[in-house]
Amino acid sequence: MGDHKEQPLRVGAAVRRRRRALDLTLAVVAERSGLSVPFLSQIENERARPSQTSLEKLADALRTTAVELLAAADPACSVDVVRAEGAEEWAEPRVRSLVRGHHQMHASEFTGDHDAGRELQFRNDQLMYVAEGAVEIEAEGRAYRLGRGDTLYLTGGVRHRWRATVPETRLLVVAVAEHIEALRDTKPHR
């Protein structure tokens, strides 16, 4: 009772909306992402689900993030419970969206390793919290080692990459949504 509809995320519809908003053909997205046109068509028609790696390639091709695509896959609710049991998970490494719908904030839980070679850069601020295990995060030319309970705050625009240093690490990432224009207040506060 009170839970959001118990249906799988419709990522394909979100991908199609984003592609059309950018006025791109499937062929252009296929070329940018390295994925095939038939596979992209299957994704858009909900006949195939992309792996996390494919979703990230697709997001890059559509100039967005995997988190944004997942968030756009469900409508926003003013109150929503995302249950841990039976949660939608993607192939190893696993990522789970903790906030559904198109909101001002996104949160994801990463379990296991991550594509450590992939450099990330988000438009807005984000917070990374290590729930279990340990990670190493490279940002602004420095490496930060975080253990259970540690957090790292990144200002929007900071290029970074991260990797799990312990098996079954759980990293929570909370970020201001990409569609929000977060402005810096340059005036001193009194």
Side-chain angles (χ1 to χ4, degrees), residues 114-171:
H114 172 72
D115 181 2
R118 184 167 188 252
E119 186 174 70
L120 305 167
Q121 181 181 28
F122 296 97
R123 175 179 173 171
N124 294 321
D125 298 358
Q126 74 179 63
L127 178 79
M128 301 171 94
Y129 170 77
V130 181
E132 292 291 333
V135 298
E136 183 176 273
I137 301 169
E138 293 178 34
E140 296 189 324
R142 291 189 56 198
Y144 301 90
R145 296 181 197 281
L146 304 177
R148 184 174 185 229
D150 291 343
T151 61
L152 180 101
Y153 180 86
L154 293 168
T155 299
V158 172
R159 292 182 183 278
H160 63 284
R161 68 184 82 222
W162 67 270
R163 68 180 183 88
T165 57
V166 174
E168 289 303 304
T169 290
R170 283 184 34 235
L171 179 69

